[in-house]
Amino acid sequence: MKKLILMSLAAVAMTLPACSNSKQEPKNIEVEVVSDAEITTMENDKVLKSSKGHPMLADFSAEWCPPCRQMKPIFRKLKNEYEGKIDLVTIDVDKNPELAERYNVTSIPTFVYISPSGKELYRNVGLQTEVIIRSDILKYLSE
């Protein structure tokens, strides 16, 4: 029984560093941060709204978050693929806490799909595959 408990504790201990907010230097990853044109003030509240009249996929993330860093290459690829059809933007929750609060982001990464009018349509939380994000983009482009 003791051996089983010790093995379980060892397994948990090995996973903790991947989830912690350690002070490790983040990998050099390009991050597009939301421009002022995409943050609109409505009724004294900052909201996300496309300046181009497109639907938007907002990636709420942080530099120190390992799953967020894993999503960057996928997000960049989809951004290039769907350019002109949907705005894909990244919001650093550490630099934009008011937006994270406004959209009730409690875990990262969080992907929020927003209509051209600024209304939240859907969200995914946590590490996602390219297939899932692509499927969601196609679903909301057709609405």
Side-chain angles (χ1 to χ4, degrees):
M1 181 71 166
K2 282 185 182 180
K3 186 175 183 179
L4 180 61
I5 291 171
L6 288 175
M7 287 174 51
S8 297
L9 288 174
V12 170
M14 289 185 340
T15 62
L16 287 177
C19 301
S20 70
N21 181 2
S22 66
K23 296 296 178 186
Q24 296 174 358
E25 288 296 315
K27 294 177 183 174
N28 188 16
I29 296 174
E30 294 177 27
V31 176
E32 179 192 358
V33 178
V34 173
S35 70
D36 291 336
E38 292 157 334
I39 300 175
T40 306
T41 302
M42 293 175 61
E43 300 172 12
N44 297 322
D45 195 11
K46 288 185 177 182
V47 297
L48 295 168
K49 187 175 179 186
S50 173
S51 60
K52 303 168 193 153
H54 299 143
M56 180 184 293
L57 170 52
D59 166 23
F60 286 88
S61 61
E63 290 288 324
W64 52 263
C65 167
C68 300
R69 290 195 307 254
Q70 284 181 272
M71 293 301 307
K72 294 302 172 209
I74 295 170
F75 206 72
R76 191 177 311 117
K77 177 181 178 183
L78 293 172
K79 177 184 173 98
N80 290 334
E81 187 175 327
Y82 290 100
E83 188 172 352
K85 298 176 184 171
I86 184 170
D87 295 337
L88 281 83
V89 295
T90 299
I91 297 104
D92 185 319
V93 295
D94 292 330
K95 294 177 183 170
N96 296 286
E98 68 284 348
L99 277 175
E101 184 177 333
R102 162 69 176 88
Y103 286 92
N104 299 315
V105 175
T106 57
S107 296
I108 55 175
T110 293
F111 301 93
V112 180
Y113 296 80
I114 300 169
S115 73
S117 65
K119 178 183 172 193
E120 181 178 334
L121 300 171
Y122 180 74
R123 72 174 50 212
N124 271 337
V125 178
L127 189 62
Q128 305 293 316
T129 66
E130 180 180 338
V131 172
I132 290 172
I133 295 174
R134 184 184 307 279
S135 170
D136 289 340
I137 288 172
L138 291 174
K139 178 180 176 184
Y140 291 104
L141 280 177
S142 65
E143 288 186 354

